[in-house]
Amino acid sequence: MSESRGVVVTGAAGALGRAVVSHFERRGDRVAVLDYSDEIIITAFPRPSQNRLLVACDLTERNACRVAVNKVREAWGNIDVLCNVAGGFIMGEAVHQTSDETWNALFDLNTRSIIHMASEVVPLMEKQGGGKIVNVSAKAALSGLSNMGAYLASKAAVMRLTESMSQELRHSAINVNCILPGIIDTPRNRADMPDADHDKWVPPSDLAEVIGFLASDAARAVHGASIPVEGLS
């Protein structure tokens, strides 16, 4: 097995986040588990692990991200991989009815969180000579849909941020890419869509494998890619 790396996963207590944490832990990496509160994190990860660091962090607050990254740096030194899994979804308003609260909430969760974490992690990666950043957008963000304008705009912004970061950082040996999940096979999605064909959805573990690839040396020549991972849906 290759050398253990320091990995940060945001939104780690969610279904996809847990799968991503599991992927890197199986590889032997040290994983910093970031989510909104200690309670959420401990519920998702009740068993302690020597190679796991639990860090509560409000990603919408820049200073909270600074404190969280400093905790990881003090514990492990290098941060080799940043997986920006955290995000949010709100549906129900037409574009002309979109409230400031909806717009701000979605852009805070889906884009500002990436900018805040990048502002703290990228300088560390530059000093250490490289790293990997993987963001999570959405396959649905490739086009517009009714009553999803704010959400899709925020996830489309993730693609543009990924492309911009890749151009800015590729010469520092930092790869920045993102995935575009289709419908993820989670308990919540099954509850919300009980009549759908769940066999066509993407298991979180499959998405984690793609994220793991983008965070690996095998993807060293991949920069600014937005990779659809939609299963059979």
Side-chain angles (χ1 to χ4, degrees):
M1 182 175 291
S2 57
E3 183 180 353
S4 174
R5 301 171 297 175
V7 180
V8 173
V9 180
T10 72
L16 178 55
R18 293 195 304 272
V20 173
V21 170
S22 177
H23 171 87
F24 287 108
E25 287 186 337
R26 287 197 307 272
R27 186 191 176 279
D29 292 320
R30 295 156 291 141
V31 184
V33 171
L34 271 64
D35 217 301
Y36 186 75
S37 70
D38 289 323
E39 181 180 3
I40 292 172
I41 296 171
I42 293 172
T43 299
F45 301 94
R47 297 181 180 177
S49 170
Q50 182 177 341
N51 290 327
R52 186 188 305 148
L53 182 66
L54 309 183
V55 183
C57 178
D58 181 354
L59 298 169
T60 68
E61 296 292 336
R62 187 180 292 269
N63 188 61
C65 293
R66 180 176 298 115
V67 171
V69 170
N70 282 338
K71 287 181 180 179
V72 179
R73 181 179 55 80
E74 290 168 3
W76 294 336
N78 284 3
I79 295 177
D80 304 292
V81 179
L82 169 62
C83 298
N84 288 307
V85 177
F89 174 76
I90 300 173
M91 182 177 178
E93 296 172 324
V95 171
H96 69 282
Q97 296 172 327
T98 300
S99 66
D100 289 342
E101 290 76 14
T102 295
W103 183 268
N104 291 338
L106 287 168
F107 273 82
D108 279 349
L109 290 169
N110 294 329
T111 62
R112 195 182 301 275
S113 61
I114 292 174
I115 293 170
H116 285 175
M117 288 301 296
S119 71
E120 300 301 322
V121 172
V122 166
L124 298 178
M125 288 183 171
E126 289 177 323
K127 287 181 181 179
Q128 69 196 31
K132 308 285 187 180
I133 299 175
V134 184
N135 301 322
V136 178
S137 179
K139 178 68 162 48
L142 293 172
S143 60
L145 294 169
S146 298
N147 299 323
M148 294 178 65
Y151 169 74
L152 296 176
S154 69
K155 284 298 191 179
V158 172
M159 287 185 271
R160 303 293 86 82
L161 289 174
T162 297
E163 293 160 359
S164 296
M165 292 173 69
S166 75
Q167 292 295 320
E168 296 160 355
L169 301 175
R170 62 194 303 166
H171 298 297
S172 298
I174 300 173
N175 298 71
V176 187
N177 296 287
C178 75
I179 63 168
L180 310 178
I183 302 175
I184 305 175
D185 190 2
T186 66
R188 179 174 177 177
N189 282 339
R190 286 190 176 225
D192 290 344
M193 294 174 274
D195 297 326
D197 186 350
H198 304 145
D199 291 338
K200 293 184 177 180
W201 294 356
V202 185
S205 58
D206 286 0
L207 288 164
E209 292 286 345
V210 180
I211 290 173
F213 164 72
L214 292 173
S216 73
D217 287 340
R220 60 186 172 273
V222 183
H223 297 273
S226 295
I227 300 179
V229 189
E230 56 184 322
L232 299 173
S233 59

